[in-house]
Amino acid sequence: MYLFPGIGLGTLLSGSRIISDGMLRAAAERLAAYMSDEEVLKGTIFPSISRIRDITKEVAAAVIKEAVVEDLAEGYHGMDARELRKLSEVELGEYVKNNMWCPEYPTLVYKQD
């Protein structure tokens, strides 16, 4: 539940045609590193689900980075592999964030009779 959205998004945004073992490892390691020492000491196994969007962003960035390292990245929508290589950690996070789907639902107003 925590890894799959980020793995999928990272694979898509990297343009990789495969998901390598290294990409899966990078995703798992990033999720594990996401937990604070305080949470671990409390016995918390997984981060709060309320942080799923940030976790997805972090996992996707790790997957993209590994795809670039393994020379699997081909790019996505105007961002080719050379450009992906040049992105800093912050820029990579922004690239992912800017390409995430953001659900926006209209407010429903019920008419009372």
Side-chain angles (χ1 to χ4, degrees):
M1 176 176 83
Y2 289 95
L3 291 176
F4 292 125
I7 291 169
L9 182 60
T11 302
L12 174 71
L13 295 179
S14 72
S16 178
R17 295 175 187 256
I18 65 165
I19 300 172
S20 69
D21 290 343
M23 291 162 68
L24 293 174
R25 186 193 73 251
E29 287 175 356
R30 185 60 198 113
L31 176 60
Y34 192 84
M35 297 289 292
S36 69
D37 290 339
E38 185 178 292
E39 290 171 318
V40 172
L41 290 174
K42 284 185 190 176
T44 305
I45 298 173
F46 293 108
S48 169
I49 192 68
S50 65
R51 300 185 321 194
I52 191 70
R53 290 189 62 81
D54 188 52
I55 293 166
T56 296
K57 181 186 85 159
E58 295 291 327
V59 169
V63 168
I64 294 168
K65 189 173 181 180
E66 184 62 24
V68 167
V69 167
E70 293 182 20
D71 203 28
L72 297 172
E74 296 180 13
Y76 177 77
H77 283 222
M79 178 73 76
D80 67 20
R82 288 181 309 223
E83 292 173 295
L84 285 172
R85 272 189 176 70
K86 295 177 185 177
L87 295 178
S88 69
E89 291 287 327
V90 172
E91 292 170 329
L92 187 56
E94 283 299 308
Y95 171 64
V96 172
K97 183 178 175 185
N98 291 335
N99 283 284
M100 289 177 76
W101 177 68
C102 296
E104 293 181 19
Y105 300 102
T107 303
L108 298 176
V109 178
Y110 292 99
K111 186 177 179 181
Q112 293 186 355
D113 294 331

